[in-house]
């Protein structure tokens, strides 16, 4: 088990969670950031990294991916720490008013303040509607490839038609004993080079490529032993395999947050616009995840919310300290 | 009058009519969302999120999907040959009496 300690635990490494590190850092509060995704940037990295954004003040045009890179650089002086690839499941409050935040992988973060910057929810894999699929999750059915070595000399069936299905098929062709790619279409519309490579591998007999096909069934005693593949919705074939990896991209799901005893309205956390505090003292919610009269789900608005949250959090942690707002132009960016 | 009627087939099988203007450059997603259907439209209509996924049930000839739309559809788990992203379907007079069913919403 991994136990960490910090002033503020930020749930969500989207643009708003990242900028919250900056605003907290200016007030000398340390932050630890947790995200279910393996990378930072939230929607910007996962949905539209190559799209230009036009409404960030001072940037007539900036690519979403570049904005994330800049935010990372901007918060570097404050040495934030990260737990990536782990979803936060719950938190508890201790007698002294501090919190422990628990992730799905057993990491515990001890903190004085929680900032929920969870956007539209935690990014989770899209799952195909196959009967009994859930029974085999972790027992042969995986939705993400964390360690390719895991598949060395094994038989693998991949389903999907996007770039990640193509990329992993190419990669695993040299690792696994047998790779089958199942795709419902007749062509691939992703990166042309990857599509070509997959075709070549299939022609060379290095992989099995099944087009106009769908995986429609899974079976096995205690773990996955075979998948049923329907070809052209006509003929069903059963293929023995060790692993089935459906790769249909990720989509945000509110998930565990719904059970955190926070006041919710239409899937968003109700906050006080004075400081974006929630119904639990010491817990704030900023960015797309919150709601209040007039709320706009914009990056700009999330940045503003982060600034007000940080002032309030500072006062909460230091009730006796006198406080005056300092411009960054006066002393530059302090370090922690 | 530039309005057409679109029908949404509910899970019960009933078809709900929806009035849709064709002179405002709207997409089917925008009209469905405005009519209260639970479409997140996370990406705002850029063929990037697939939350506006629908299935066309009538035999209207729609313009074929662009590469971006096709790519997104290809990467989804539950699609059929009649699946579309409703944000990419422009409302035109030809689509009068179109019947659609909402997709899995992912
Ligand atoms: C296609 C598209 C175009 C857009 N264009 C613009 C634009 O031009 N201008 C603009 O201002 N906005 C735009 N937006 C909206 C903008 O992206 C969002 O407002 C912004 O991403 C919100 O940032 P956030 O940090 O609040 O949340 P997000 O970016 O959603 O990040 C939240 C993060 O929290 C993580 N998370 C959630 N729950 C948990 C949990 N339990 N455990 C661990 N991690 C968790 C998620 O995995 C995610 O990475 C656009 C959005 C899309 C999809
Ligand atoms: S609204 Fe996102 S794909 Fe249509």
């Amino acid at each position: 088990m991994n136990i960490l300690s910090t002033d503020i635990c930020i749930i969500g490494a989207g643009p708003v969670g990242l900028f919250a590190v900056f605003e907290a850092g200016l007030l000398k509060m340390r932050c630890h950031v947790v995200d279910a995704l393996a990378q930072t940037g939230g929607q910007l990295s996962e949905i539209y990294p190559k799209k230009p954004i036009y409404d960030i003040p001072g940037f007539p045009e900036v690519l979403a991916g570049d904005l994330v890179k800049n935010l990372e650089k901007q918060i570097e002086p404050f040495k934030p720490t990260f737990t990536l690839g782990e979803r936060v499941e719950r938190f508890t409050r201790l007698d002294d008013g501090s919190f422990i935040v628990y992730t799905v992988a057993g990491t515990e973060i001890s903190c004085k303040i929680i900032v929920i910057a969870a956007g539209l929810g935690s990014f989770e894999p899209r799952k195909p509607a196959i009967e009994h699929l859930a029974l085999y999750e972790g027992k042969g059915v995986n939705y993400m490839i964390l360690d390719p070595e895991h598949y060395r000399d094994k038989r693998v069936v991949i389903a999907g038609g996007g770039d990640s299905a193509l990329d992993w098929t190419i990669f695993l062709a040299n690792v696994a004993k047998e790779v089958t790619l199942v795709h419902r279409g007749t062509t691939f519309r992703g990166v042309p080079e990857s599509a070509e490579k997959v075709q070549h591998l299939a022609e060379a007999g290095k992989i099995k490529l099944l087009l106009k096909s769908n995986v429609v069934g899974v079976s096995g005693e205690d773990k996955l032993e075979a998948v049923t593949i329907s070809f052209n919705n006509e003929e069903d074939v059963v293929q023995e395999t060790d692993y089935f990896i459906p790769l249909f991209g990720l989509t945000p799901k509110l998930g565990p947050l719904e059970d955190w005893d926070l006041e919710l309205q239409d899937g968003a956390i109700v906050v006080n616009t004075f400081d974006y505090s929630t119904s639990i003292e010491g817990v704030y919610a900023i960015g797309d995840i919150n709601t209040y009269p007039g709320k706009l789900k914009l990056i700009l608005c999330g940045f503003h919310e982060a600034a007000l949250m940080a002032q309030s959090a500072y006062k909460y942690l230091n009730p006796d300290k006198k406080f005056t707002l300092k411009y960054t132009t006066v002393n530059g960016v302090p370090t922690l | 009058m530039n309005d057409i009627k679109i029908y949404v087939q509910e899970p019960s099988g009933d078809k709900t009519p929806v009035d849709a203007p064709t002179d405002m450059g709207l997409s089917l997603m925008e009209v469905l969302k405005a009519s209260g259907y639970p479409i997140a439209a996370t990406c705002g209509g850029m063929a990037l999120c697939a939350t506006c996924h629908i299935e066309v049930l009538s035999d209207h000839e729609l313009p074929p999907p662009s590469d971006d739309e096709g790519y997104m559809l290809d990467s989804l788990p539950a699609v059929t040959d009649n699946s579309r992203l409703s944000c990419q379907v422009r409302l035109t007079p030809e689509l009068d009496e179109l019947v659609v069913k909402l997709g899995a919403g992912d």
Side-chain angles (χ1 to χ4, degrees):
Chain A
M1 195 165 42
N2 199 355
I3 303 183
L4 302 150
S5 170
T6 185
D7 294 326
I8 301 183
C9 177
I10 301 175
I11 303 172
V16 178
L18 293 178
F19 192 64
V21 173
F22 183 83
E23 288 295 331
L26 287 180
L27 300 169
K28 306 241 178 231
M29 295 180 286
R30 280 178 313 132
C31 296
H32 184 80
V33 190
V34 191
D35 204 298
L37 289 175
Q39 80 272 5
T40 63
Q43 294 171 51
L44 284 70
S45 304
E46 190 54 41
I47 307 182
Y48 62 108
K50 299 267 159 58
K51 293 276 175 201
I53 307 177
Y54 300 100
D55 59 350
I56 303 297
F59 288 89
E61 179 179 338
V62 58
L63 294 186
D66 289 343
L67 180 63
V68 174
K69 269 192 223 136
N70 283 338
L71 283 166
E72 282 191 335
K73 189 165 165 210
Q74 193 170 22
I75 65 177
E76 230 167 55
F78 302 116
K79 301 187 182 65
T81 47
F82 290 90
T83 299
L84 295 177
E86 293 182 25
R87 188 177 68 196
V88 171
E89 291 302 295
R90 61 191 181 96
F91 61 82
T92 52
R93 179 167 224 144
L94 305 181
D95 288 343
D96 65 358
S98 69
F99 299 95
I100 311 246
V101 172
Y102 300 86
T103 76
V104 68
T107 304
E108 294 185 8
I109 300 125
S110 149
C111 60
K112 298 175 191 135
I113 283 181
I114 295 177
V115 173
I116 304 174
L120 302 173
S122 139
F123 276 91
E124 307 284 332
R126 291 193 187 96
K127 300 179 181 179
I130 299 173
E131 210 182 347
H132 305 313
L133 188 64
L135 290 180
Y136 299 99
E137 285 175 8
K139 295 178 192 164
V141 172
N142 293 332
Y143 302 103
M144 266 184 252
I145 297 175
L146 296 174
D147 176 15
E149 274 306 311
H150 193 73
Y151 304 96
R152 182 161 296 276
D153 301 327
K154 302 280 196 246
R155 297 164 301 177
V156 180
V157 174
I158 295 177
D163 286 335
S164 68
L166 291 174
D167 292 347
W168 282 115
T169 299
I170 295 165
F171 191 90
L172 289 181
N174 286 321
V175 177
K177 180 159 98 189
E178 193 185 296
V179 180
T180 306
L181 175 60
V182 182
H183 172 40
R184 63 165 282 281
T186 47
T187 53
F188 293 97
R189 287 179 265 210
V191 177
E193 292 79 39
S194 309
E196 245 168 65
K197 237 185 218 155
V198 163
Q199 288 290 356
H200 287 315
L201 286 170
E203 281 156 22
K206 296 244 165 68
I207 62 157
K208 197 159 138 192
L209 177 61
L210 299 176
L211 297 174
K212 288 166 84 177
S213 303
N214 284 303
V215 172
V216 293
V218 284
S219 54
E221 277 292 305
D222 301 318
K223 58 176 183 55
L224 183 77
E225 287 165 15
V227 293
T228 308
I229 301 167
S230 138
F231 174 72
N232 218 357
N233 285 329
E234 287 166 7
E235 198 185 326
D236 281 0
V237 283
V238 174
Q239 177 168 330
E240 286 184 14
T241 187
D242 301 305
Y243 289 99
F244 172 42
I245 313 175
L247 293 175
F248 293 108
L250 304 176
T251 191
K253 292 258 156 64
L254 213 47
L257 203 145
E258 280 179 290
D259 307 318
W260 291 352
D261 285 335
L262 294 157
E263 192 187 334
L264 295 178
Q265 191 183 315
D266 295 332
I269 300 171
V270 177
V271 289
N272 180 346
T273 49
F274 179 72
D275 57 0
Y276 304 97
S277 53
T278 68
S279 50
I280 302 177
E281 200 184 12
V283 179
Y284 297 81
I286 55 175
D288 278 11
I289 192 65
N290 75 16
T291 187
Y292 51 84
K295 167 73 183 179
L296 289 177
K297 288 189 185 179
L298 288 177
I299 299 165
L300 166 75
C301 300
F303 287 173
H304 160 81
E305 292 162 14
L308 268 63
M309 172 284 294
Q311 304 289 324
S312 170
Y314 180 83
K315 286 176 199 150
Y316 175 75
L317 291 181
N318 307 281
D320 302 326
K321 278 199 192 152
K322 285 242 165 37
F323 176 78
T324 48
L325 176 73
K326 285 197 196 79
Y327 294 131
T328 54
T329 37
V330 178
N331 296 322
V333 175
T335 46
L336 279 185
Chain B
M1 274 302 286
N2 291 305
D3 276 14
I4 56 171
K5 252 193 202 352
I6 305 275
Y7 293 89
V8 179
Q9 182 170 311
E10 309 290 344
S12 65
D14 291 351
K15 294 193 178 80
T16 310
V18 174
D19 289 320
T22 57
D23 56 353
M24 289 167 64
L26 292 182
S27 71
L28 180 55
M29 176 276 280
E30 289 167 300
V31 166
L32 293 174
K33 199 173 156 72
S35 308
Y37 285 98
I39 294 178
T42 307
C43 76
M46 291 161 69
L48 283 172
C49 72
T51 55
C52 67
H53 167 208
I54 53 141
E55 211 178 304
V56 176
L57 301 177
S58 51
D59 44 19
H60 286 73
E61 284 268 331
L62 271 64
S66 66
D67 279 351
D68 285 349
E69 183 186 352
Y71 174 73
M72 198 65 215
L73 287 169
D74 273 356
S75 46
L76 292 182
V79 287
T80 69
D81 292 342
N82 301 318
S83 287
R84 295 299 299 257
L85 298 178
S86 59
C87 69
Q88 303 301 303
V89 177
R90 292 281 133 217
L91 293 170
T92 57
E94 291 76 42
L95 297 190
D96 198 17
E97 306 276 312
L98 183 80
V99 184
V100 301
K101 186 173 101 181
L102 300 197
D106 54 13

